[in-house]
Amino acid sequence: MSDEGERTPGPEAAPEAEAGAEAGGEVGAEAGGADPGSERRTVSDPAALKALAHPLRLKVLRHLAVSGPATSTTLAAALGENTGTLSYHLRRLERGGFIEDVPERPNSRERWWRAVRGLDVRRPAQDEMTDGERAVAGALDRMRLDEDIELARRFTEEQAESDGWMRGSRSLSHLTKEEVTAFHDAYLDLLTRFARGPEDAPPDAKPVLLRWFALPAE
């Protein structure tokens, strides 16, 4: 997907991507972005992956990442769910290490939640997961794939009228496996450099979804 022609490390190119709870890792994508001034917090427990693998919890994380802190009541209104359901899923996300209390609002009658900043979510290696854990990872992949297909459709249909907000690039190079890893890590560093939550964003900023993936051409 390219709005300005192909870049030329090779005859064709690779799309941009989100760092999600993918095999390579993430810097706080759904969890609100890494804080450039803070140390990354690594999450690699398979139980945390299970906390992510639910469509409503992914919607909660997306809402917090886009709109900032919320209570179970405001989340219920925004997502069309009841507060009891939201409270249960918020507790699961808290145990997984993805959300936390907002310390600036300790005396509020309701708990305010925000996405944990500076997360680096790493999926365990396939041979280190049980069959059940691999099934959970697969379910999460399918949920993310459905969303990514919809984003690709939107890019194709809306990019020309996006006034420069939708950008993409495709490329092809010849890399070793170690170089692919290095490229991925450099991408995560770049995400950290530009990461910003809604509380820190300037007035003309918008929440922007980012994606990248790499795979052998043959």
Side-chain angles (χ1 to χ4, degrees):
M1 293 180 284
S2 176
D3 59 326
E4 297 177 338
E6 309 265 324
R7 299 175 103 161
T8 27
E12 151 178 294
E16 46 191 326
E18 172 192 67
E22 318 292 355
E26 148 178 7
V27 181
E30 302 296 354
D35 182 348
S38 68
E39 183 178 345
R40 290 182 188 175
R41 296 166 56 180
T42 300
V43 178
S44 58
D45 183 358
L49 204 64
K50 188 172 182 179
L52 276 182
H54 189 284
L56 180 54
R57 290 174 211 153
L58 292 179
K59 289 180 182 178
V60 168
L61 289 175
R62 173 62 53 77
H63 184 85
L64 294 176
V66 169
S67 303
T71 67
S72 59
T73 300
T74 58
L75 280 167
L79 301 178
E81 299 286 342
N82 65 63
T83 54
T85 298
L86 261 298
S87 295
Y88 167 77
H89 289 292
L90 287 166
R91 289 193 298 271
R92 292 295 303 271
L93 288 169
E94 181 187 27
R95 289 200 300 270
F98 297 104
I99 64 172
E100 62 188 1
D101 283 307
V102 178
E104 292 82 9
R105 303 187 185 187
N107 300 317
S108 173
R109 296 180 63 182
E110 267 196 285
R111 293 182 78 177
W112 282 82
W113 298 98
R114 69 180 180 189
V116 172
R117 306 292 297 280
L119 285 184
D120 185 358
V121 179
R122 300 272 170 171
R123 175 175 301 183
Q126 287 288 329
D127 58 2
E128 294 177 4
M129 291 192 288
T130 66
D131 290 343
E133 290 164 352
R134 282 192 287 271
V136 168
L140 179 58
D141 286 342
R142 288 187 291 275
M143 281 185 272
R144 291 192 179 278
L145 176 62
D146 288 342
E147 180 187 47
D148 290 346
I149 290 171
E150 173 60 18
L151 291 178
R153 183 198 62 77
R154 279 190 54 205
F155 186 97
T156 301
E157 295 178 358
E158 302 173 20
Q159 186 270 334
E161 307 300 325
S162 71
D163 196 28
W165 279 97
M166 292 186 179
R167 307 293 295 273
S169 172
R170 293 165 56 87
S171 184
L172 185 147
S173 185
H174 290 73
L175 305 174
T176 66
K177 185 166 64 174
E178 291 73 22
E179 287 170 331
V180 171
T181 298
F183 188 101
H184 182 70
D185 289 344
Y187 170 76
L188 296 185
D189 289 338
L190 189 64
L191 280 184
T192 299
R193 175 183 164 192
F194 284 95
R196 191 159 48 196
E199 307 95 319
D200 311 316
D204 59 344
K206 293 182 180 182
V208 176
L209 297 166
L210 304 169
R211 298 289 189 272
W212 115 263
F213 64 88
L215 68 163
E218 55 185 33

